[in-house]
Amino acid sequence: MENVDGGKVVQAYEAGNITVVNTYARPRPIQLPELPTPPPYSELGLDTLLREAPVDQSRVIVLHGPPGAGKTRIAAHLLHQHLDRYTDGILFADLQGSNAEGPSDPNEVLDRFLRAIHVGADAIPADFSARSAAWRSYTYGREVAVLADDAVSAAQVHALNPGRGPSVVIVTARAPLLSLRLDGADHIEIHHAHARPGPGSAS
């Protein structure tokens, strides 16, 4: 018999007249990309937003601005500094909002996220609405962070929001995605005054 409690797996089996119980922790997913050092960003107040995030609902932070301004580097560096806070994992998705061939399919992103938090393939629904609901259910009450990079619409972000709990979603986008303010998102503009990227630097 196997039971999963958060990131812990409990296995029990009979060996003669003895019940043997093994408990082990599944690895926590940390999917943050390794990027060059970001421009200084302490004046943006991002550390305060994470420290003061409510414990009973997910916080959404939108970093918006032109390409090359350092949005992705700032977001990844910030979450690296708060690894201890998000004990159930930090997930990354390139939503490819600026890709000429079109953005990423959020249903495929959800599949990768659910597998990353150790949901078995047979437990992942094929239907998009059901898959999004499963993601919220499995992350309810968990300390999860999501970096949704290069978003093009609020709908992309909505699909990836974890269930209610002490989680955070950091979105990078060229447009401000102002409709996310209806969900209580914090919007912070990142501009080239914060960065002097070299050739090939991530945005």
Side-chain angles (χ1 to χ4, degrees), residues 167-181:
S167 57
V168 67
V169 178
I170 299 182
V171 183
T172 72
R174 295 184 181 185
L177 307 183
L178 293 177
S179 62
L180 288 174
R181 284 184 177 167

Side-chain angles (χ1 to χ4, degrees), residues 38-49 51 63 69-70 74 77-78 187-196:
Y41 60 88
S42 59
E43 76 280 6
L44 299 176
L46 292 170
D47 284 293
T48 300
L49 284 177
R51 285 196 303 268
L63 306 182
I74 289 172
H77 186 270
L78 175 70
H187 285 70
I188 297 176
E189 183 175 6
I190 308 296
H191 47 81
H192 285 289
H194 293 108
R196 299 182 185 278

